[in-house]
Every structure is written in C-alpha cells, then in structure tokens.
Amino acid sequence: MIYTVTFNPAIDYVVHLPGSLELDAVNRTVQEEYLFGGKGINVSSVLRALDCENTALGFVAGPTGRWLEDGLRDQGVHTDFIHLTEGVTRINVKIKASEETEINGMGPQIGEADMEQLYAKLDCLKAGDALVLAGSIPSCLAGDTYEKIMARLDGRGVRIVVDATRDLLVNVLKYKPFLIKPNNHELGEIFGRELTTDAEIIACAALLQSRGARNVLVSMAGDGALLLDENGNTHRMGVPKGKVLNSVGAGDSMVAGFLAGYLQKGDYEWALRLGTAAGSATAFSLGLATREKIDALLNEF
C-alpha cells in the first residue's frame, strides 16, 4: 500500500477575472472552480487516476475539512485523516487575471497529541509499503518532523519518497530514502550554484546519492527529467509536445507516476517514462492529470 502525508491540506478556490484585478473596487468573476490541494493529496489523486491503491493521511479541521474529505472520497481517493478539534482547513484564493495573485490561508494548529495520532497510523506500515512525504512543514511543527518520521520507520522496509527543499531534504538523507525529487533549481540551491548542463545536474545528484538517497529524480520543467538510479545508471527523458496551462501539481504528478510505474514493473526506465507523462499531463491541463491524458502522452515518447 502507498501512503501520502499532507500536514496542511487546502481547498483552492480559483477565480478568473476578465482583465486586471482592481483594488478598492468590486471585481466580478467570469469563471470559478475549486480544487482539493496539498502536495501529498495531489500525489494520492494522480495515483488513484492510475488505478494505484493508496491512502491519504494528514490533518483536517472544521467544516472545510469535512468538505475536503468528502470531496476526495467522491473522487475515489481513500483518506484516513486526523480530525483536529480546533480551527478550519484552509482555503487558498487563486486569482487568475492579467496577473496572477494568490492568498494562502494559514491552516489549523497541530499539537503534540495530534502528531502522536499520526505516528500511531504510521507505525502500522509494513515492509513493502511506500510513504510519500511532500512539501514544507507547517510552522506549528518542529523542522525535523520528517526526520522523526523516518527515524521511526528506519529498518522496517518501507520505501520512503521525499519531495522537499534545502535542509528539509538534505537532513533526511541519512535515513536512505527510496526516492528524492528536487527540481534542477532546488538541486542547485542545495549546493549554492546554478546548474545549466546535464553533467552538472548528474554530479550534484550523485553527491546526494553518496549521502544516502537511493534514487534521485530531478525534474527540469520543459527540459524533461533525469534519474540517477540506485544501480548507478542515469536515465534521461524529454517531454512530449503540448501547451503548458498549469504548473501546480506537475511535480507531485511526476512523483505519483514514477512510484506507480516502479511498483508496476520494478523498472526505473518505465517509472521515469510514466512519471514524466503524468507530470506533463498535469502541466497540459487545468487540473490534475487524468488517466486518459497520461495514456495519450505515453504514446508520444
């Protein structure tokens, strides 16, 4: 079974304006939609689209939390959220006008007792399961939360995927995560340099691998992706043709596709191909990737 963790889920309320956002005035929308967001939730949603069974873990609160939970279940995503007694799950307002503006909510506070409930759920994971830890840690939690989770599961045979940045990523390498997925800019930030060639990206990815990462997947937007696998092989994948409509969730979709592909065939080349197709399918869509879109793009490689 695959499990994802989203500490601070959100309902993204997306509004489209006909022109510019006018301050101190009434702005009327021409289109609206809402999306259930959070990096782990995005991974769960795309895994579900690929018919890959998984469970979304995390924290929800208040009526917005119940709405998010019910909405995900209606989409076929299995959830096992912890319900906080205070606060509400956040709503993020995304304004699509001549320029894009975002107002992100704060989210509820997560206490020590709440974290103990999460740890109890994670203690049930067994050898062969996979766990996805994606995104930043809320300010109400300790910055070493990922480390604590991985230390707790160390030696249990759980494949852990970490999609995070800077110290949050580097500090977990000692626990030998199955997969890490920085993009090329994030990889460069870790080493304080700009990476402009495949050779430079491979060299930095190899350094992270030498510190403990088993597989390093580097996404590069329109330039595709590069994988340095645990067997010492380098895999390079371009991207199919398409118009980019949305960058939100593309990296999460790549993680979902890669993990689904690896669990299907145990083959890293196939995992990278499916991951790249899933990431591109989201980038070429207004929402997250669908199975139909992913399958269509797979035929273009």
Side-chain angles (χ1 to χ4, degrees):
M1 174 65 79
I2 303 173
Y3 298 85
T4 67
V5 175
T6 306
F7 288 102
N8 200 9
I11 297 170
D12 289 344
Y13 177 51
V14 186
V15 296
H16 300 258
L17 303 181
S20 299
L21 173 66
E22 297 183 22
L23 300 180
D24 296 321
V26 175
N27 293 267
R28 299 193 182 279
T29 66
V30 294
Q31 182 182 340
E32 303 171 8
E33 62 257 359
Y34 62 87
L35 305 169
F36 301 122
K39 291 180 69 65
I41 286 173
N42 292 340
V43 173
S44 279
S45 295
V46 177
L47 284 170
R48 180 65 187 88
L50 290 168
D51 296 322
C52 198
E53 289 296 320
N54 73 96
T55 298
L57 303 173
F59 301 90
V60 294
T64 49
R66 290 191 293 273
W67 178 22
L68 182 143
E69 187 174 37
D70 291 343
L72 288 173
R73 286 176 176 170
D74 288 344
Q75 295 175 7
V77 177
H78 179 65
T79 65
D80 189 14
F81 291 130
I82 294 161
H83 290 255
L84 304 174
T85 57
E86 297 183 3
V88 294
T89 293
R90 61 190 175 136
I91 295 178
N92 297 332
V93 180
K94 314 288 186 179
I95 303 172
K96 307 287 187 180
S98 54
E99 295 181 346
E100 294 191 7
T101 302
E102 297 187 4
I103 304 172
N104 288 346
M106 180 176 61
Q109 295 289 305
I110 302 168
E112 291 184 10
D114 304 314
M115 280 300 300
E116 287 301 323
Q117 291 185 62
L118 177 63
Y119 289 140
K121 293 179 185 294
L122 294 176
D123 284 344
C124 296
L125 271 62
K126 57 186 183 299
D129 287 340
L131 175 66
V132 179
L133 302 174
S136 59
I137 301 295
S139 59
C140 59
L141 295 178
D144 62 351
T145 297
Y146 281 177
E147 294 172 70
K148 290 178 179 177
I149 289 173
M150 295 181 70
R152 200 176 185 108
L153 295 174
D154 193 30
R156 301 259 304 271
V158 177
R159 297 186 180 97
I160 300 181
V161 177
V162 181
D163 182 4
T165 59
R166 299 196 179 187
D167 289 348
L168 193 58
L169 177 64
V170 173
N171 291 342
V172 303
L173 296 179
K174 58 192 172 187
Y175 296 109
K176 298 179 173 52
F178 170 72
L179 176 72
I180 60 173
K181 196 214 70 64
N183 63 38
N184 55 320
H185 302 298
E186 293 164 347
L187 182 61
E189 287 175 353
I190 290 172
F191 295 98
R193 53 186 292 200
E194 182 179 355
L195 307 180
T196 58
T197 67
D198 281 9
E200 292 172 341
I201 292 171
I202 291 169
C204 288
L207 288 173
L208 295 186
Q209 200 172 52
S210 70
R211 297 184 190 182
R214 288 173 57 186
N215 300 285
V216 184
L217 173 60
V218 184
S219 56
M220 297 180 284
D223 291 326
L226 186 150
L227 171 70
L228 193 60
D229 74 28
E230 62 185 326
N231 302 313
N233 301 314
T234 300
H235 309 266
R236 186 70 165 85
M237 191 72 62
V239 294
K241 294 181 180 179
K243 180 180 179 181
V244 175
L245 301 175
N246 163 48
S247 61
V248 177
D252 307 324
S253 301
M254 176 175 281
V255 168
F258 182 94
L259 192 52
Y262 179 78
L263 293 178
Q264 285 172 1
K265 298 186 178 183
D267 180 82
Y268 286 122
E269 186 73 20
W270 167 249
L272 179 60
R273 183 181 174 196
L274 185 57
T276 304
S280 298
T282 288
F284 299 160
S285 306
L286 291 176
L288 292 174
T290 63
R291 179 61 180 267
E292 292 74 20
K293 188 71 172 180
I294 295 171
D295 288 344
L297 294 180
L298 275 173
N299 293 325
E300 296 187 18
F301 287 103

